Amino acid sequence: MCYNLRARYTTSLEVITGASRGIGRATAIEFVKQGATGIVLHFYGDEATTSEITSLQDEVRKLNPDCTAVPISGDIALRDTSARIVSEAVKAFGRIGDLRTKYSRAL
């Protein structure tokens, strides 16, 4: 069976933890390519990941100018960071579509 993934994600709002590199970054890029309209990009917040998330935001804008990318920094192992991610996603988009995380202890 073949179906159009772009149609599936045209109203998609994604929250992706660890989005600055590796699997998280690849996941973010794929959702944007498939038409996600909003994406929350969690990253640790040190100098390296801040640079990487800025680069990812630029890539998101090039791939899909209609996609809003909201970066949120913090240690995902802390409950406060998890709560802030959810709060900022709801503030930016009114809801959360999907939550993609590589780390689920605090969530």
Side-chain angles (χ1 to χ4, degrees), residues 4-15 31-32 34-39 64 66-68 93-98:
N4 183 348
L5 287 176
R6 182 166 296 280
R8 181 175 175 199
Y9 294 112
T10 55
T11 59
S12 178
L13 302 170
E14 306 296 327
V15 176
F31 273 108
V32 171
Q34 298 302 330
T37 55
I39 193 162
N64 183 353
D66 297 326
C67 182
T68 301
F93 304 114
R95 66 183 177 89
I96 293 176
D98 291 308

Side-chain angles (χ1 to χ4, degrees), residues 3 5 18 20-22 33 37 44 50 64 66 69 76 80-81 90 93 96 101:
Y3 59 95
L5 287 176
S20 63
R21 59 176 69 145
K33 284 180 179 178
T37 55
Y44 188 72
T50 299
N64 183 353
D66 297 326
I76 195 65
D80 288 349
T81 300
V90 171
F93 304 114
I96 293 176
T101 182

Side-chain angles (χ1 to χ4, degrees), residues 14-29 31 39-45 49 53 56 70-78 81-86 89 96 98-107:
E14 306 296 327
V15 176
I16 302 171
T17 65
S20 63
R21 59 176 69 145
I23 293 170
R25 185 182 186 97
T27 301
I29 289 168
F31 273 108
I39 193 162
V40 173
L41 306 169
H42 163 263
F43 63 107
Y44 188 72
T49 60
I53 213 71
L56 178 57
V70 176
I72 299 174
S73 65
D75 184 347
I76 195 65
L78 302 176
T81 300
S82 301
R84 196 163 38 84
I85 289 170
V86 171
I96 293 176
D98 291 308
L99 175 67
R100 310 289 172 181
T101 182
K102 298 186 292 182
Y103 186 92
S104 62
R105 189 177 101 200
L107 300 175

